[in-house]
């Protein structure tokens, strides 16, 4: 069973940056990968996804501020988050797209001054 381990979250001031990382226990070759987030009291939503040929799509509210990338050899996916806003605060998760694997523990992002 594929295991997902997210890291890199933390507390950051508005306007700051964080880089999230995700390691996948299995191969990600040929698999579209994605980052999702879930804020308290809200449903989990898709933030960004990246195909095997590195085409990307983003949630409208993060376009131009977040960048998803992947390393197929390492089985890793990253999310660079810049110009963070308070509404970016959530638990962030990676998974394939559409999400079929069991969710990891996520990594929390808090944006506050």
């Amino acid at each position: 069973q594929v295991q997902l381990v997210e890291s890199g979250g933390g507390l950051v001031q508005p306007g700051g940056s964080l880089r999230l990382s995700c390691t996948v226990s299995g191969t990600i070759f040929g698999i579209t990968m994605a980052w999702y987030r879930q804020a308290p009291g809200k449903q989990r939503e898709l933030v960004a996804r990246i195909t095997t040929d590195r085409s990307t799509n983003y949630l409208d509210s993060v376009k131009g501020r977040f960048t998803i990338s992947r390393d197929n050899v390492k089985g890793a996916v990253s999310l660079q988050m810049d110009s963070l806003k308070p509404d970016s605060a959530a638990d962030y998760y990676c998974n394939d797209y559409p999400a079929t694997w069991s969710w990891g523990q996520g990594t929390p992002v808090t944006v506050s001054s």
Side-chain angles (χ1 to χ4, degrees):
Q1 180 169 332
V2 173
Q3 293 188 334
L4 304 165
V5 180
E6 302 91 349
S7 62
L11 171 64
V12 63
Q13 293 185 341
S17 298
L18 283 174
R19 185 176 181 85
L20 307 183
S21 298
C22 170
T23 57
V24 183
S25 62
T27 182
I28 62 171
F29 280 96
I31 296 172
T32 295
M33 294 298 299
W35 280 95
Y36 304 78
R37 69 185 180 189
Q38 187 169 21
K42 295 187 177 181
Q43 288 190 332
R44 195 170 345 228
E45 63 180 350
L46 175 68
V47 176
R49 66 178 189 260
I50 182 168
T51 65
T52 54
D53 63 358
R54 292 179 168 74
S55 295
T56 57
N57 291 92
Y58 296 93
L59 185 67
D60 282 348
S61 61
V62 308
K63 284 181 180 177
R65 299 187 297 115
F66 289 14
T67 304
I68 188 172
S69 59
R70 64 189 292 155
D71 185 328
N72 290 334
V73 175
K74 294 183 178 179
V77 186
S78 297
L79 186 68
Q80 176 67 39
M81 306 189 296
D82 299 319
S83 302
L84 281 162
K85 302 178 181 180
D87 63 5
S88 298
D91 290 329
Y92 283 72
Y93 304 83
C94 69
N95 211 315
D96 59 346
Y97 176 84
T100 63
W101 297 329
S102 296
W103 296 97
Q105 82 287 352
T107 187
V109 171
T110 303
V111 185
S112 175
S113 55

